[in-house]
Amino acid sequence: MKATKLRRILVPIDFSLPSLATLRFAKLLAARFGAKLHLVHIVAPIPIYSLGPGVLLPPFPDKAIMQAAKKRLQELVSQFSLPEGETRCTVRLGEASAQINDVAGQSCADLIAIATRGLTGLKHAFLGSTTQRVVRAASCP
């Protein structure tokens, strides 16, 4: 069996402590295998709301929210001393697991390093987790 070279590691970041811990781990993996990191943050769309007949609020987020998320990812590159020219940062709008898997496929990721928060009980049974949905549909480990 031929071993696969680890060249690209996708790291979904939601700026929570578990996702930052995963970034630390991914940084070590990248250094060990000479891989490049690709950080991705997914912004969930906010639905259109009606304030009454004929009055609708536009869907969010706007460009400012997307730009702020991109800036935060770039700050993590500096904060974690990641190679600036080699670390990619992507912000997407949509459902998290679908967007993460889409970015993984488009960037030819060899590995997705993703945190889990460990939902339990009824919340887990009805909602599942983003990590579970990513793992079920991922094109790579």
Side-chain angles (χ1 to χ4, degrees):
M1 184 174 179
K2 185 177 178 182
T4 303
K5 182 164 171 55
L6 191 58
R7 297 177 311 248
R8 288 174 289 280
I9 302 172
L10 182 67
V11 188
I13 300 288
D14 64 3
F15 305 108
S16 66
L17 290 176
S19 73
L20 298 179
T22 300
L23 178 55
R24 284 184 193 89
F25 179 73
K27 177 185 174 184
L28 294 173
L29 278 176
R32 168 69 175 90
F33 291 99
K36 294 182 180 178
L37 293 175
H38 185 167
L39 311 184
V40 62
H41 176 75
I42 310 303
V43 177
I46 299 172
I48 296 175
Y49 289 99
S50 172
L51 296 177
V55 181
L56 296 176
L57 289 176
F60 288 93
D62 63 10
K63 288 182 182 180
I65 293 171
M66 302 290 282
Q67 289 171 342
K70 180 90 172 200
K71 183 179 178 190
R72 285 184 71 190
L73 285 179
Q74 291 166 339
E75 288 169 355
L76 288 179
V77 170
S78 177
Q79 179 184 344
F80 282 79
S81 301
L82 304 174
E84 289 190 32
E86 298 178 14
T87 304
R88 290 181 62 192
C89 295
T90 300
V91 176
R92 288 273 191 100
L93 173 65
E95 193 277 321
S97 61
Q99 291 298 319
I100 291 167
N101 281 325
D102 188 54
V103 172
Q106 288 182 359
S107 66
C108 300
D110 298 305
L111 177 74
I112 302 172
I114 186 168
T116 181
R117 292 195 181 160
L119 295 176
T120 59
L122 287 176
K123 189 173 182 182
H124 178 72
F126 286 110
L127 299 176
S129 73
T130 298
T131 302
Q132 279 186 322
R133 291 188 297 274
V134 167
V135 168
R136 277 191 229 127
S139 59
C140 64

